[in-house]
Amino acid sequence: MKKTINIKFTLVLLLIGFMIAVQYNSMENPKQRDTRDIWAIRQELAEEKKLHSELLSEIRELDNTISSYRSLSDSSTGQAIKDTVDRLHQKAGTTDIEGPGIVIEVRPSAESIAYGIPITSISSDLLTRFVNDVNRFKGINMEIDGKRYNVMSSIRVINGSTSVNGLNVSTPPFKIKIISQTMSDSEKLYNYLLASSIHDDFYLDNLILDIKPPEKDIVISGWSEKFENLYLNELPKGD
């Protein structure tokens, strides 16, 4: 009888200990709740839908390219491939491009000049924040201090100086050129940057953004670095 009571008592203690452990674990690791308001969720949903639309556009473009290849004769296949390569070079930013856009001059603030505050190179964090802000607009081409910026570009700190594609960015003043697909897109970007809070970030670093009105013909240079082919080899031509 006494043995049976001890077994029951032990089982009760085990059950109580298990319940305490579960309660403690739930208190230590509570489920995270989504505390965003409805507008933040709607904004994220809109960005996801925009990305989905862009992916569908790229898929349609690739489908059209494949269809055009299939419909071509052997004599015109070479020209079609050349046209495709030219488009890829343009997307990669290796060619010069001209079109409607805006020019932005990054220069020291009037206060920093008046008080003799020394101006150093723009910080990499600030320049990255600006690029991310501008990249809200798709289909743009950018040049930072004469250096082409594209999806393969990098902004780093080298020997204490901010660099783009491994080349140092000049101490302000310097210019940033942005070309859009249409003049209307350039005007939208211009108005957005005029009202953007990015100005406050620059002002904290004693810099200002002087944004020029949109122009019809702006030229930016291609990426100076050449691509290295590490894996593909040209097959010998047949007889």
Side-chain angles (χ1 to χ4, degrees), residues 97-108:
I97 187 172
E98 180 178 357
I102 59 175
V103 177
I104 304 170
E105 185 177 7
V106 180
R107 53 188 176 86

Side-chain angles (χ1 to χ4, degrees), residues 63-101:
D63 287 340
N64 292 334
T65 302
I66 294 174
S67 299
S68 64
Y69 284 168
R70 290 174 176 173
S71 62
L72 292 174
S73 60
D74 293 338
S75 59
S76 55
T77 301
Q79 182 61 39
I81 294 176
K82 182 179 181 300
D83 293 340
T84 302
V85 172
D86 291 340
R87 287 198 301 270
L88 292 175
H89 274 293
Q90 184 174 354
K91 286 185 177 181
T94 60
T95 58
D96 295 351
I97 187 172
E98 180 178 357

Side-chain angles (χ1 to χ4, degrees), residues 2-20:
K2 185 175 182 181
K3 184 177 181 181
T4 304
I5 295 175
N6 289 337
I7 293 175
K8 292 182 179 180
F9 185 74
T10 302
L11 291 175
V12 171
L13 290 178
L14 288 174
L15 180 60
I16 295 175
F18 176 77
M19 293 176 65
I20 293 175

Side-chain angles (χ1 to χ4, degrees), residues 17-35:
F18 176 77
M19 293 176 65
I20 293 175
V22 171
Q23 185 178 6
Y24 177 80
N25 185 64
S26 63
M27 293 178 62
E28 287 293 317
N29 302 290
K31 292 183 178 180
Q32 293 184 354
R33 297 181 58 188
D34 193 343
T35 57

Side-chain angles (χ1 to χ4, degrees), residues 134-239:
V134 170
N135 278 334
R136 295 172 181 265
F137 294 80
K138 303 300 180 181
I140 63 173
N141 293 275
M142 191 183 314
E143 179 185 277
I144 302 174
D145 189 30
K147 304 160 185 63
R148 185 68 174 270
Y149 186 91
N150 53 36
V151 294
M152 297 177 295
S153 299
S154 61
I155 298 177
R156 296 192 179 95
V157 177
I158 300 178
N159 295 328
S161 299
T162 300
S163 66
V164 175
N165 299 330
L167 302 175
N168 289 346
V169 177
S170 302
T171 301
F174 64 85
K175 293 182 179 179
I176 299 176
K177 299 180 181 179
I178 305 175
I179 292 181
S180 303
Q181 294 180 337
T182 64
M183 190 65 177
S184 176
D185 292 337
S186 297
E187 291 173 351
K188 291 178 181 178
L189 176 60
Y190 171 75
N191 292 326
Y192 171 78
L193 288 177
L194 284 181
S196 175
S197 60
I198 194 69
H199 291 273
D200 298 332
D201 298 328
F202 275 79
Y203 192 75
L204 290 175
D205 281 6
N206 299 313
L207 299 173
I208 61 172
L209 293 175
D210 186 6
I211 306 172
K212 310 296 183 183
E215 302 177 21
K216 292 183 178 179
D217 297 308
I218 290 179
V219 180
I220 61 178
S221 57
W223 197 27
S224 59
E225 298 293 329
K226 294 184 178 181
F227 293 103
E228 294 183 3
N229 185 10
L230 301 177
Y231 305 104
L232 299 178
N233 293 317
E234 184 178 359
L235 294 175
K237 295 182 180 179
D239 296 334

